[in-house]
Amino acid sequence: MEKEQVSEQARQEFLQRAFANYYSTSPAIKMVSVPTIDSREFGAGFEKKIDFRHKSFVSLAEFLGFLARDGPLYVSYSTARYRYPAAKPMGKKECLGSDLAFDLDTNFSDRPHPTGGHNPIICAHCLNLARDEAARFLDEFLCGDFGFKRSEVSTNFSGSKGFHFHVRTQEVQQLSPDARKQLCDYAAAYEVAAIKDDNKGILREKRDGTAQELWGPKSSDGGWGRKMLTQATNFIASAGDDELKKEGISSQKIRTQILAARQELLNKLAQGDWDYLPGKYVAGGLKDFWIGFVNRAISRIRVQTDAPVTFDRARLIRVPDTLHGDTGLVAQTRQALDGFEPLKSAVAFTSGVGLVTPTVDGTLEIGGQTVEFKAGMEAELPLSAAVMLVAKRKAIPAQNRDRT
Ligand SMILES: [Zn+2]
């Protein structure tokens, strides 16, 4: 066998052994629960995320037995429920309904990072940004715009970089793929812009030569218009001279006018009049400023999900509270996201060590420890770090010297 194949096989065996051991012994396994498990399709993977699918289990006990015996690196299930979940092709399963799921997987590696920068192996700062985005998506879109109750949304860490949301209420079961896609498109703001050619943007220009040129959302509006009005209102209510300048109002005269009459401006905004400056109208005086402001606010607030997970019924999604084969972390269900740090709270292997030879130099902050390692230097690392490095193909597990 080629050397690469040998190390790939060693990787798989090392992880499978650790995972099977976790699934057989960890008390956390009690968290795994799949509603109406006997009507779900399952897929699992050892080499890839899904090596096989169209599998079904009659009970949670049977499923947990499979995890403990085989130690799959990845296990996922259908948000859809079927009369015959193991039947194939898909058409023969007879779909009974489908939960509504969302997958957030934004890459934050190019965002500003604190000292030390982005950690290419697994980055605590990126995970924090992902968590904050997930909390915002839950609050602003799922509960705010879509109207789900907090208790109707089950939130879990994906086990790698992102977060998953599951709504399993009766009302969502028969939503069409198109309706599901529209929810993703809405959150991603694909159709939303400050100004559009058809004048149906957030801001609308009046082109009849009257003094006032710019209209925007008013307080009775909903959706993205309301979001933008809230952003504008909060900004005008609190901005000082510096903030106004930073957001693009270069004229000192206009900044002074705004600061002298905040309340008047706020009242006008609430009525949809976005072109008002105290004292008199300056036609289009704030137009360029608001266009820039709204476009920046849209890109700050929009959340892009992996839409096919939501609308393609045939897609499988990670079973919450199982392990992720790219990290060895738990796809942990969370009641609250506040302060959640996956590299502390979602660590599966909280004791034990693993003997590995890293292929890169680096540092991991995992399980409350800082673990340093050097390329080519065999080292006995905390098991969580050893599993992470092997999972990420950044270390080769020791052969014939099994210390895990
Ligand atoms: Zn990062």
Side-chain angles (χ1 to χ4, degrees), residues 4 19 24 56 58 69 110 130 133 153 158 166 190 219 242 267 286 295 304 342 351 356-357 372 388 400:
E4 258 176 34
F19 282 24
S24 325
S56 68
V58 294
R69 188 182 63 246
D110 56 357
E133 183 185 64
V153 185
S158 73
H166 300 259
Y190 288 137
S219 55
D242 276 357
N267 294 344
L286 291 178
N295 280 330
Q304 246 175 315
S351 63
V356 297
T357 306
E372 286 185 38
M388 174 76 70
N400 307 320

Side-chain angles (χ1 to χ4, degrees), residues 107-114 117-120 122-127 129:
N107 182 351
F108 292 101
S109 61
D110 56 357
R111 302 283 173 90
H113 276 60
H118 173 71
N119 187 333
I122 192 158
C123 182
H125 184 68
C126 285
L127 287 170
L129 295 177

Side-chain angles (χ1 to χ4, degrees), residues 170-183:
Q170 202 51 48
E171 305 86 77
V172 304
Q173 296 298 319
Q174 304 303 329
L175 279 178
S176 68
D178 189 52
R180 292 166 197 257
K181 188 168 179 298
Q182 280 179 32
L183 297 177

Side-chain angles (χ1 to χ4, degrees), residues 64-236:
L64 295 178
F66 160 70
L67 297 181
R69 188 182 63 246
D70 290 9
L73 271 57
Y74 310 92
V75 57
S76 46
Y77 79 122
S78 61
T79 53
R81 291 172 298 111
Y82 301 104
R83 192 177 310 281
Y84 307 110
K88 55 185 175 182
M90 293 306 286
K92 292 203 169 159
K93 293 187 194 295
E94 290 189 27
C95 185
L96 304 170
S98 181
D99 304 337
L100 180 62
F102 295 92
D103 175 8
L104 264 63
D105 198 16
T106 310
N107 182 351
F108 292 101
S109 61
D110 56 357
R111 302 283 173 90
H113 276 60
T115 323
H118 173 71
N119 187 333
I121 295 175
I122 192 158
C123 182
H125 184 68
C126 285
L127 287 170
N128 287 346
L129 295 177
R131 172 203 63 205
D132 294 347
E133 183 185 64
R136 206 163 55 70
F137 181 69
L138 175 62
D139 198 44
E140 182 150 348
F141 291 97
L142 291 179
C143 296
D145 293 320
F146 305 158
F148 296 114
K149 295 193 195 88
R150 192 59 71 101
S151 59
E152 292 172 335
V153 185
S154 175
T155 305
N156 68 284
F157 173 50
S158 73
S160 178
K161 293 186 205 124
F163 285 82
H164 295 164
F165 301 88
H166 300 259
V167 181
R168 301 187 175 110
T169 55
Q170 202 51 48
E171 305 86 77
V172 304
Q173 296 298 319
Q174 304 303 329
L175 279 178
S176 68
D178 189 52
R180 292 166 197 257
K181 188 168 179 298
Q182 280 179 32
L183 297 177
C184 297
D185 290 353
Y186 175 86
Y190 288 137
E191 301 287 314
V192 185
I195 288 282
K196 289 168 79 168
D197 288 343
D198 59 5
N199 212 19
K200 287 182 180 165
I202 295 286
L203 305 171
R204 296 173 308 282
E205 294 173 281
K206 215 171 165 193
R207 294 160 179 164
D208 61 2
T210 52
Q212 189 186 344
E213 288 194 345
L214 196 67
W215 286 87
K218 52 186 180 299
S219 55
S220 55
D221 289 351
W224 274 96
R226 176 171 209 80
K227 288 183 196 303
M228 292 302 107
L229 178 63
T230 304
Q231 293 291 314
T233 302
N234 291 347
F235 178 70
I236 291 298

Side-chain angles (χ1 to χ4, degrees), residues 338-367:
D338 291 351
F340 171 56
E341 294 183 55
L343 292 175
K344 289 182 181 156
S345 307
V347 173
F349 302 100
T350 50
S351 63
V353 291
L355 190 63
V356 297
T357 306
T359 55
V360 294
D361 295 351
T363 306
L364 276 179
E365 303 280 346
I366 191 163

